Amino acid sequence: SVVSDYEVTVSAPSGMTVITSGKTTRITPSGSSRIWTIFAPVVRDFALVAGSDFEVVSEDADGIAVNSYYSDGDINSGEEALDAGVKAILAFENEFGKYPYPEIDIVLTYLDAGGMEYPNLVMISNVLEAEFGDDSLLKIVVAHEVAHQWFYGMVGDNQFTEAWLDESFASYSELVYKETYLSDEEIGAEIDDMEAALDPEGID
């Protein structure tokens, strides 16, 4: 899992939004297209999402630009993902140390899994709907994927052959997020639900 600097040039139709690892340094018109120049320093790989119908909401989290991209007018999910991203950055900076990049993009998009992590960019399945609570599945998935910015992003491992390493820390980070933002009663209710799920016959 090697750390590298990526400089990438992407040509896309003028109506497209291009969302990537790193930061766009220049957008140049070229006929009916635009050429995007992206620089992604000190990352382990590079990812890109492009689409013609993305909208974005953004917020600052301790100097970090958090951007939440959504489509189909789903502003509720976009705003809930943004709130989770901001809260996750703040909680994890307090627990694990400073997020080392100037921004992070959260993209609600077509995805079979709940979420997928990449440097400075996380993809979240657009079937996860806003539930308006800090314990919503959407928010927990966002928190989990943001945690990967520390665990595989900064503390590297081989995600393919030893996924248990970064996934275990990202799952632990879900608990850090919950402990930071949920009440004792809400956490207790979650523990009760987990214990019930592990005891399907209802035996005490």
Side-chain angles (χ1 to χ4, degrees), residues 66-96:
V66 182
N67 307 306
S68 175
Y69 291 86
Y70 62 95
S71 57
D72 299 323
D74 192 7
I75 182 65
N76 289 333
S77 293
E79 289 184 341
E80 186 157 307
L82 175 65
D83 186 59
V86 168
K87 287 180 173 176
I89 289 285
L90 296 176
F92 301 154
E93 282 196 333
N94 184 64
E95 189 77 8
F96 307 130

Side-chain angles (χ1 to χ4, degrees), residues 59-66 85-87 89-94 97-103 150:
E59 192 172 326
D60 178 271
D62 193 26
I64 308 303
V66 182
V86 168
K87 287 180 173 176
I89 289 285
L90 296 176
F92 301 154
E93 282 196 333
N94 184 64
K98 183 72 175 171
Y99 180 77
Y101 302 104
E103 68 178 26
W150 279 263

Side-chain angles (χ1 to χ4, degrees), residues 17-21 47-51 54 107-109 118 121-123:
T17 300
V18 176
I19 310 154
T20 72
S21 301
L48 177 151
V49 179
F54 280 114
V107 186
L108 298 173
T109 189
Y118 298 96
L121 182 154
V122 298
M123 300 178 192

Side-chain angles (χ1 to χ4, degrees), residues 128-151:
L128 300 178
E129 297 180 355
E131 298 174 18
F132 307 104
D134 281 320
D135 61 343
S136 75
L137 180 58
L138 174 57
K139 283 196 171 184
I140 298 307
V141 170
V142 170
H144 177 101
E145 303 307 338
V146 170
H148 279 296
Q149 302 301 309
W150 279 263
F151 302 108

Side-chain angles (χ1 to χ4, degrees), residues 2 19 22 24 30 35 37 44 47 77-78 82-83 104 118 120 125 133 140 157 163 167 171 174 178 181-182 194 203:
V2 177
I19 310 154
T24 298
S30 177
I35 297 173
T37 303
R44 298 186 186 279
S77 293
L82 175 65
D83 186 59
I104 183 167
Y118 298 96
N120 323 143
S125 173
I140 298 307
D157 67 308
E167 291 298 341
S171 294
E174 294 176 28
K178 290 178 181 181
Y181 297 111
L182 300 183
M194 286 186 206
I203 300 172

Side-chain angles (χ1 to χ4, degrees), residues 6 8 10 20-22 38-40 43-48 118-119 152:
Y6 289 78
V8 179
V10 178
T20 72
S21 301
I38 303 113
F39 183 55
V43 295
R44 298 186 186 279
D45 46 21
F46 180 88
L48 177 151
Y118 298 96
Y152 121 85

